Amino acid sequence: VQLNTAGEEELKQLRILNELQVQSLLHYRRLFGPLVNMYELQAIPYWDISTIRRVLPYCTLSSADIAPLKKMFKGGEHSILFRFSQVLEKNSEYNSSAGNGMYRGSPQRLLLRYRYNRKNAVLYGITADKDAGEQFFKGAQRYGFDFYSFHFFIKNNTRLKALALGDFTVNMGQGLIQWQSLAFKKSADALAVKRQSPVLRPYTSAGEFYFYRGAGATLQQGKIQITTFVSFRKLNANVITDTLTNEERVSSLLTSGYNRTNGELADRNKLSQQTAGANIVFKQKRWHAGINAVAHRFSLPIQKQEEPYNLFAIGGNSWYNLSADYSATIRNMHFFGEAAIDKRGGKAMINGLQLSADPRLDIAVIHRRLAENYQALYGNAFTENTSPSNENGLYIGAAFRPFPGWRADIYYDIYRFPWLKYRTDAPSGGRDYLIQLTVAAGRKTEIYSRFRREVKEANLSVINGSSSTSHVGPVYRTNWRTQVAARINAALTLRCRTELVWFRPAGGQAETGFLSFFDAVYKPLLASWAISGRLQYYNTGSYDSRVYAYENDVAYSYSIPAFYGEGYRFYLVFQKDAGKNLQFWVRWAASIFQKRPGNEDVMSTSTAINGGGEIRLQTRISF
């Protein structure tokens, strides 16, 4: 990102800067002109040393590359990436001649991707993906890969700010009606509460659900920016035929993208979806106001199972949402929010504040009120629920930096669900809070300790002799994590983490969970190769007391598996740069189990590789 020319949307795409920091940089440039040296970043209000260190690897002070459109297709970087993954343990489900639940294809997962990028101004490419268990150049996948995706994207070209053809994502407001790009909920970064992204973005992932396929454009005239888009695509869906009327309806949309078994293949591309939408924004230097609309039409009516918690679910052959969003920066305060309504009149509203109360103290507040009958197909707002619906809540977070190198992140969130939820047969609620202290002992050592406590109501069973009754009661979950990362020398970095979990349903059996791992990353100075690895032990009572742990992977891939039961986990990742334009990665991971939980199914992400492990190979060529 060119810090001297980047606009508001480009800075937000870093996902590192909050709104106050973005606005402060823009205001600094207007007052003093372009930055002369990176050290000047320390003079920008609200930019602390920690933020600057995180931003530096992705920024430059060079001027933006503005070229005529006809020259934008020359001088860019072409790259081809191929990834091969396979679980080496033999699985009885890979038997194409067996029953409906068996996988028809091979156990390899394949990814092939071509990209062209000219300084983020022109991007186009093709992505092809085959999941494990899917066929390849035969049967249902006679054209090779199961999923193909194409994108063509131009941005920052005079009045045409963005043009998207093929596959793209749309993000509006604060996610009440539409948000398809990456977005996080609550985290240890207590201030990361605002949705920030351009409306249109090229879609380059291998996921098969959260994107549109068609065309979109963003035009700007003065202070007014208009975005419109249309999409035509097929969705995987579970279709049920009414035995009385012989009419078909969709009981659920399938988002996994798996087409491995006869049953999954029968649901493939069963539903046609047509979508159109628009976004109109009026922008000033320190505030904006926008109007958003999105409408869907389906080839078959949607009617979910007749369960009480599905009373207000999306239904019928069409659906639409409307909203208005705003943001405004006043001195050291930034306000933002969105109000939305759906086809049936369901209403939702979210409002937030980011405040720099002191150079050492930042505060964030989010209030949301989402009616139980409000629904949005691609909504993804800052809520406790997965979808923005059926929730009232208040979140307060703060980041405190009492001394250089010290940071404390704290949040408290209280929420209420006015209507029923899946596995919660009554209106319910909950609360949770987090405290994390991070200490940087110089540039070589960082220590953090995090404590999180959550109380949420859910269905509980009480056994009385030979009978059992169910009621809604509180479930308590507590996590305590401590991690130490030390840079031993220029080549070697070590990390050690320990996490404890306490899980207890009201009146039920308490459980504990434990996870500890040791990481090593070795990259010799000026060497063309690097290696990293992990050795991990975990022991939990059941899936209820599971522990999550992020794992390093080959480039552009990651995993955050849930570990439960008792066992060991280890992996190695090797990277080699064979010249300027050729890179290789190899990853091998495996688990050794001491015990498995009760009768629960073993999660494939952490346990299906109990035999020979999982191997992943990747190569990238650029020219």
Side-chain angles (χ1 to χ4, degrees):
V1 173
Q2 291 86 11
L3 288 179
N4 279 330
T5 57
E8 182 177 340
E9 291 188 348
E10 290 179 276
L11 294 170
K12 290 178 180 178
Q13 287 187 63
L14 286 170
R15 301 183 185 274
I16 296 174
L17 305 173
N18 62 43
E19 189 70 30
L20 284 173
Q21 292 167 332
V22 170
Q23 295 297 333
S24 185
L25 172 60
L26 297 177
H27 186 60
Y28 185 91
R29 285 190 343 216
R30 288 193 292 266
L31 287 176
F32 303 108
L35 282 72
V36 177
N37 191 286
M38 285 294 188
Y39 289 110
E40 198 175 346
L41 293 174
Q42 299 175 86
I44 301 176
Y46 317 132
W47 282 58
D48 54 75
I49 296 298
S50 172
T51 299
I52 294 172
R53 287 176 179 169
R54 293 172 63 195
V55 165
L56 284 178
Y58 309 104
C59 297
T60 178
L61 297 183
S62 63
S63 59
D65 180 45
I66 302 175
L69 183 60
K70 62 182 180 180
K71 294 184 179 181
M72 285 188 169
F73 298 95
K74 299 179 181 179
E77 181 189 59
H78 301 264
S79 65
I80 299 175
L81 181 143
F82 177 74
R83 182 186 303 156
F84 169 94
S85 306
Q86 182 176 348
V87 173
L88 301 178
E89 180 186 24
K90 290 187 177 180
N91 194 322
S92 60
E93 292 178 316
Y94 290 98
N95 187 350
S96 59
S97 62
N100 193 53
M102 298 301 175
Y103 300 158
R104 299 181 62 182
S106 61
Q108 296 83 26
R109 177 174 182 182
L110 305 175
L111 174 71
L112 179 63
R113 185 173 68 194
Y114 162 75
R115 279 187 182 178
Y116 172 83
N117 185 349
R118 190 183 194 278
K119 298 187 177 181
N120 292 326
V122 176
L123 305 95
Y124 59 82
I126 297 176
T127 301
D129 177 71
K130 170 200 173 300
D131 293 311
E134 295 175 343
Q135 293 175 303
F136 192 57
F137 280 109
K138 64 178 181 179
Q141 285 85 9
R142 63 182 183 275
Y143 298 112
F145 293 89
D146 174 73
F147 174 72
Y148 289 94
S149 173
F150 167 77
H151 68 275
F152 177 86
F153 195 81
I154 299 176
K155 69 175 183 179
N156 296 333
N157 183 45
T158 61
R159 293 183 182 179
L160 180 65
K161 304 301 292 183
L163 173 66
L165 301 176
D167 294 348
F168 58 92
T169 60
V170 176
N171 311 293
M172 296 178 175
Q174 290 302 300
L176 286 182
I177 74 169
Q178 178 74 40
W179 197 278
Q180 293 174 312
S181 294
L182 182 67
F184 296 103
K185 305 284 186 176
K186 290 173 285 189
S187 70
D189 187 351
L191 302 179
V193 296
K194 185 185 178 185
R195 296 285 186 259
Q196 299 184 146
S197 175
V199 179
L200 296 178
R201 297 192 65 189
Y203 185 72
T204 59
S205 178
E208 301 180 26
F209 184 77
Y210 292 101
F211 67 92
Y212 288 131
R213 179 164 288 174
T218 298
L219 301 173
Q220 183 160 346
Q221 179 63 45
K223 299 176 181 178
I224 298 178
Q225 183 173 290
I226 300 175
T227 300
T228 60
F229 65 92
V230 293
S231 169
F232 305 89
R233 60 169 305 203
K234 300 278 190 178
L235 300 178
N236 291 2
N238 185 20
V239 177
I240 297 177
T241 303
D242 192 307
T243 56
L244 295 178
T245 63
N246 204 33
E247 293 180 349
E248 292 185 325
R249 62 179 175 86
V250 173
S251 62
S252 62
L253 300 177
L254 308 178
T255 64
S256 69
Y258 291 140
N259 297 298
R260 306 164 298 183
T261 66
N262 291 334
E264 291 173 346
L265 288 168
D267 295 331
R268 184 185 186 190
N269 296 335
K270 297 293 286 188
L271 181 68
S272 296
Q273 178 194 44
Q274 303 174 23
T275 302
N279 162 258
I280 303 175
V281 178
F282 182 80
K283 288 188 174 184
Q284 288 282 18
K285 289 182 179 179
R286 287 185 168 264
W287 64 273
H288 94 270
I291 299 174
N292 314 290
V294 60
H296 310 280
R297 185 162 188 83
F298 309 104
S299 59
L300 296 173
I302 296 177
Q303 183 181 339
K304 294 193 174 183
Q305 294 181 353
E306 294 183 358
E307 297 288 345
Y309 64 86
N310 280 333
L311 179 63
F312 303 109
I314 291 176
N317 286 90
S318 64
W319 195 259
Y320 63 81
N321 296 81
L322 304 171
S323 77
D325 70 280
Y326 71 94
S327 71
T329 303
I330 304 174
R331 294 183 181 273
N332 62 335
M333 298 179 292
H334 179 74
F335 301 89
F336 59 93
E338 184 179 15
I341 188 170
D342 67 14
K343 176 183 176 180
R344 295 178 185 154
K347 299 178 180 64
M349 182 171 59
I350 186 167
N351 293 283
L353 165 68
Q354 290 177 325
L355 167 67
S356 182
D358 183 90
R360 295 171 295 179
L361 177 63
D362 297 324
I363 298 172
V365 180
I366 285 279
H367 175 262
R368 66 262 190 197
R369 187 175 184 86
L370 301 92
E372 59 271 18
N373 63 336
Y374 177 79
Q375 298 290 330
L377 182 61
Y378 293 108
N380 184 2
F382 187 85
T383 58
E384 174 67 20
N385 270 333
T386 303
S387 60
S389 176
N390 184 34
E391 181 175 333
N392 301 323
L394 178 65
Y395 170 99
I396 301 175
F400 181 49
R401 297 172 293 275
F403 315 107
W406 289 63
R407 175 177 171 132
D409 285 275
I410 304 169
Y411 77 68
Y412 181 83
D413 189 32
I414 185 169
Y415 42 85
R416 188 75 187 165
F417 308 120
W419 186 242
L420 283 58
K421 298 177 55 181
Y422 177 65
R423 298 183 68 180
T424 308
D425 297 334
S428 59
R431 63 188 182 277
D432 67 276
Y433 63 88
L434 176 145
I435 302 173
Q436 176 171 302
L437 178 63
T438 305
V439 179
R443 293 196 173 191
K444 294 187 176 181
T445 304
E446 182 181 86
I447 305 170
Y448 79 78
S449 189
R450 176 191 305 174
F451 182 86
R452 183 173 185 261
R453 170 87 165 172
E454 180 185 48
V455 182
K456 185 185 291 187
E457 293 177 316
N459 287 348
L460 301 175
S461 297
V462 179
I463 300 176
N464 298 313
S466 60
S467 63
S468 65
T469 59
S470 179
H471 69 284
V472 173
V475 176
Y476 303 87
R477 183 180 177 88
T478 305
N479 292 66
W480 182 23
R481 173 191 297 180
T482 299
Q483 176 172 302
V484 179
R487 188 176 181 184
I488 306 303
N489 53 45
L492 180 62
T493 300
L494 302 179
R495 281 191 297 266
C496 182
R497 175 188 297 180
T498 298
E499 183 161 0
L500 300 171
V501 177
W502 295 270
F503 174 85
R504 180 176 65 85
Q509 182 67 38
E511 295 183 11
T512 59
F514 172 83
L515 180 146
S516 183
F517 67 66
F518 177 80
D519 278 355
V521 180
Y522 184 68
K523 188 180 190 317
L525 192 64
L526 302 179
S528 61
W529 60 276
I531 187 169
S532 63
R534 170 175 297 177
L535 176 61
Q536 173 179 293
Y537 171 76
Y538 59 94
N539 189 348
T540 78
S542 74
Y543 183 69
D544 290 330
S545 53
R546 63 195 177 275
V547 187
Y548 293 91
Y550 174 89
E551 294 189 349
N552 290 329
D553 211 319
V554 300
Y556 318 113
S557 179
Y558 72 96
S559 59
I560 311 176
F563 296 97
Y564 63 101
E566 182 183 4
Y568 296 90
R569 172 76 167 172
F570 44 92
Y571 66 78
L572 289 172
V573 181
F574 177 78
Q575 176 187 348
K576 170 67 175 177
D577 295 336
K580 183 179 179 180
N581 301 322
L582 182 61
Q583 296 172 296
F584 295 96
W585 292 266
V586 179
R587 183 181 191 265
W588 177 71
S591 295
I592 300 176
F593 299 101
Q594 303 299 308
K595 68 176 183 180
R596 300 197 181 195
N599 297 322
E600 296 178 283
D601 293 332
V602 179
M603 293 185 64
S604 61
T605 52
S606 60
T607 55
I609 55 178
N610 191 31
E614 179 187 29
I615 188 72
R616 183 165 297 153
L617 309 175
Q618 178 172 290
T619 182
R620 181 179 184 269
I621 304 171
S622 58
F623 52 94

